[in-house]
Amino acid sequence: MQLILRQGRVVDPSQRLDKVADLGIEDGRVAEIAPRLRRKGRKEVDARGLIITPGFIDMHAHLREPGREDAETIESGTNAAAQGGFTGVACMPNTQPVNDSEAVTSFILERAREVSKIAVYPIGAITKGSQGETLAEIGEMRRAGIVAVSDDGHPVQNSQIMRRAMEYSTIFDLPVIDHCDDRDLAAGGCMNEGYYSTVLGLRGINPAAEEIHVARDAILARQTGARVHIAHLSTRQSLEIVRRAKKEKISLTCEVTPHHLLLTDAEVVSYNTNMKMNPPLRTAEDVKALVDGLASGAIDVIATDHAPHNVNDKMLEFDRAPFGVVGFETAISLMMDRFVRAGKLSLRRLVLAFSTNPARILRLERGTLAPGSCADVTVIDPEFHYQVKGADFASRSRNTPFEGWTLTGGPVMTIVKGRIVSTRQT
Ligand SMILES: [Zn+2]
């Protein structure tokens, strides 16, 4: 066999599997999972004490290339993702130029083939230039290889255009991913509207700006039958709307980011611009609801919204700095330390949210270790201990809100198509 991981705890919800076993890989595919494999591997890994899962997929990331290579490139971003335990990332179209055409989609995939050790799944724009006016060439981009459409960052305001986009997306069986944000309602805000925005004298973003678009999308998803995915859901009310829609069998899924699960708007008191993201950090009640929603399965996916910005761009007054934080290299450790080890989230849920569900939503032949499937594997050491240091990131950017945090539990090996592409010393 090409590679055998010996005696790790294999957690694969797609097969209802959670047991100590040997995992054998041959020709880039999972060959066999058995209590003990007699055959020898050309390479063998002692995985005792480690957790073996189907490869984690970050379905919401910004790789910045083409256009902002000072902040990140496809090469640096995918290296950071591999280091962070991800075997694949879906990249949002808000590059320069915007990924609204076959040419840009093909460029991204071509570049990824040249420089990336992991899979890159481009997301195409909903509208031309993400200007919100006319639909982009979705069919053309689909043929070139996009896995979803989104105008993330410049969300579609016009509900008629959103309706048409949903109708159109069903022809190609593409999910529509929406960054829910009513621009008029949110206008000029730089943090959550509430107690802390009042105390700090900063312009707030009304949480209703998100919730109104979540409700709109649920209603349009019911009407059109489209598969709709809510990006980085951040408020208790948004979650309530998603819960209700799911109960009514509307095809609506959603994701949450580690920062919205771990930080509140009280952090903005520091004026640290690495606490500025969109949607903004919310209240403690929102955080509690999101944690419950993830544990119960109402929230389908954990995604990073990895949004690299170079230091100079972030070194501005809070209200003038750009939104966004990096996430590839901290996401899994944060979730392991603060939730799995703390007993708030099962490993099964973690794997569902980072692998099984993103693969299902994006219709990727991934998210499973069933024999015959692509051998994309994430290996986690529950005892891996380290301190977050932006200076050590493989990413070109360091804008993390978690600088200095000490975490236990994290990815130590990333395997793509049976090849070990990244390791960390335990
Ligand atoms: Zn977004």
Side-chain angles (χ1 to χ4, degrees):
M1 284 216 208
Q2 177 187 356
L3 173 65
I4 298 179
L5 307 178
R6 297 268 184 205
Q7 297 300 295
R9 177 178 169 191
V10 183
V11 181
D12 179 4
S14 79
Q15 308 180 70
R16 296 172 182 274
L17 199 65
D18 184 350
K19 65 174 185 192
V20 172
D22 289 355
L23 171 77
I25 293 169
E26 181 82 319
D27 296 329
R29 301 201 161 261
V30 176
E32 202 179 349
I33 298 174
R36 274 189 198 282
L37 288 173
R38 291 232 183 79
R39 298 166 63 184
K40 282 264 167 287
R42 286 198 297 284
K43 183 166 175 57
E44 302 218 351
V45 173
D46 178 359
R48 281 174 300 175
L50 306 181
I51 298 158
I52 296 173
T53 74
F56 282 13
I57 298 159
D58 186 356
M59 67 176 286
H60 189 147
H62 302 270
L63 295 177
R64 302 296 189 221
E65 184 180 354
R68 283 309 300 265
E69 291 81 357
D70 59 316
E72 198 76 287
T73 63
I74 291 169
E75 184 170 18
S76 66
T78 54
N79 277 336
Q83 185 77 5
F86 293 101
T87 57
V89 295
C91 54
M92 283 295 175
N94 62 335
T95 45
Q96 296 167 8
V98 169
N99 181 15
D100 61 0
S101 70
E102 188 208 330
V104 181
T105 304
S106 299
F107 167 82
I108 292 166
L109 285 170
E110 190 71 20
R111 201 74 197 112
R113 261 192 295 277
E114 289 164 13
V115 300
S116 176
K117 300 175 192 132
I118 64 168
V120 173
Y121 308 112
I123 296 170
I126 295 174
T127 62
K128 286 195 176 130
S130 287
Q131 298 288 311
E133 283 154 20
T134 40
L135 289 184
E137 299 295 344
I138 295 173
E140 222 179 63
M141 289 190 288
R142 171 62 157 169
R143 280 188 291 279
I146 60 166
V147 296
V149 289
S150 180
D151 273 352
D152 181 58
H154 305 277
V156 176
Q157 299 298 301
N158 181 317
S159 299
Q160 174 70 340
I161 288 171
M162 191 48 126
R163 173 195 176 187
R164 296 285 176 234
M166 286 188 192
E167 287 170 348
Y168 206 49
S169 74
T170 61
I171 300 171
F172 304 103
D173 192 28
L174 286 169
V176 176
I177 302 176
D178 196 15
H179 167 135
C180 289
D181 193 10
D182 181 311
R183 279 293 158 96
D184 295 312
L185 206 46
C190 62
M191 68 175 294
N192 184 52
E193 181 180 300
Y195 171 80
Y196 287 100
S197 65
T198 309
V199 168
L200 297 172
L202 290 169
R203 179 86 75 94
I205 299 172
N206 184 342
E210 174 176 313
E211 292 149 1
I212 285 170
H213 274 206
V214 175
R216 175 195 74 172
D217 290 355
I219 291 163
L220 290 175
R222 171 163 50 197
Q223 198 178 69
T224 60
R227 296 194 290 123
V228 176
H229 178 78
I230 306 297
H232 42 50
L233 183 127
S234 74
T235 81
R236 190 172 59 84
Q237 276 305 325
S238 293
L239 181 59
E240 279 312 309
I241 297 163
V242 170
R243 272 212 179 93
R244 214 175 316 147
K246 285 185 166 186
K247 214 175 277 172
E248 293 174 27
K249 304 280 182 245
I250 295 170
S251 177
L252 195 70
T253 53
C254 69
E255 73 193 24
V256 67
T257 70
H259 48 268
H260 288 114
L261 290 166
L262 283 162
L263 304 169
T264 69
D265 55 355
E267 299 288 343
V268 181
V269 169
S270 66
Y271 290 107
N272 176 355
T273 57
N274 292 334
M275 298 297 169
K276 181 174 177 180
M277 57 289 273
N278 194 0
L281 298 175
R282 305 291 192 184
T283 67
E285 294 82 68
D286 293 309
V287 169
K288 188 181 175 307
L290 296 180
V291 173
D292 291 347
L294 182 65
S296 75
I299 295 174
D300 304 87
V301 168
I302 305 165
T304 66
D305 192 9
H306 179 82
H309 289 289
N310 80 34
V311 177
N312 296 331
D313 286 348
K314 271 287 194 185
M315 224 166 2
L316 289 171
E317 293 82 1
F318 195 88
D319 55 342
R320 292 176 58 214
F323 292 103
V325 296
V326 291
F328 285 152
E329 291 168 85
T330 50
I332 299 174
S333 298
L334 288 165
M335 295 308 301
M336 280 300 294
D337 183 277
R338 301 298 156 114
F339 295 101
V340 177
R341 289 182 63 97
K344 293 181 190 163
L345 190 70
S346 67
L347 263 179
R348 179 177 165 273
R349 277 277 170 229
L350 183 84
V351 179
L352 280 167
F354 266 128
S355 180
T356 327
N357 289 339
R360 175 175 56 85
I361 292 165
L362 300 175
R363 302 264 202 265
L364 308 172
E365 287 173 12
R366 297 289 191 279
T368 177
L369 295 174
S373 56
C374 182
D376 283 10
V377 184
T378 297
V379 182
I380 294 168
D381 181 351
E383 304 300 331
F384 182 81
H385 187 77
Y386 83 114
Q387 187 174 34
V388 177
K389 286 196 193 98
D392 295 343
F393 285 165
S395 169
R396 281 201 179 172
S397 294
R398 278 97 183 80
N399 48 312
T400 174
F402 301 109
E403 182 73 30
W405 286 37
T406 52
L407 302 170
T408 303
V412 291
M413 185 178 289
T414 309
I415 298 169
V416 176
K417 293 184 181 167
R419 267 190 56 226
I420 298 171
V421 298
S422 176
T423 54
R424 286 208 285 186
Q425 285 307 317
T426 57

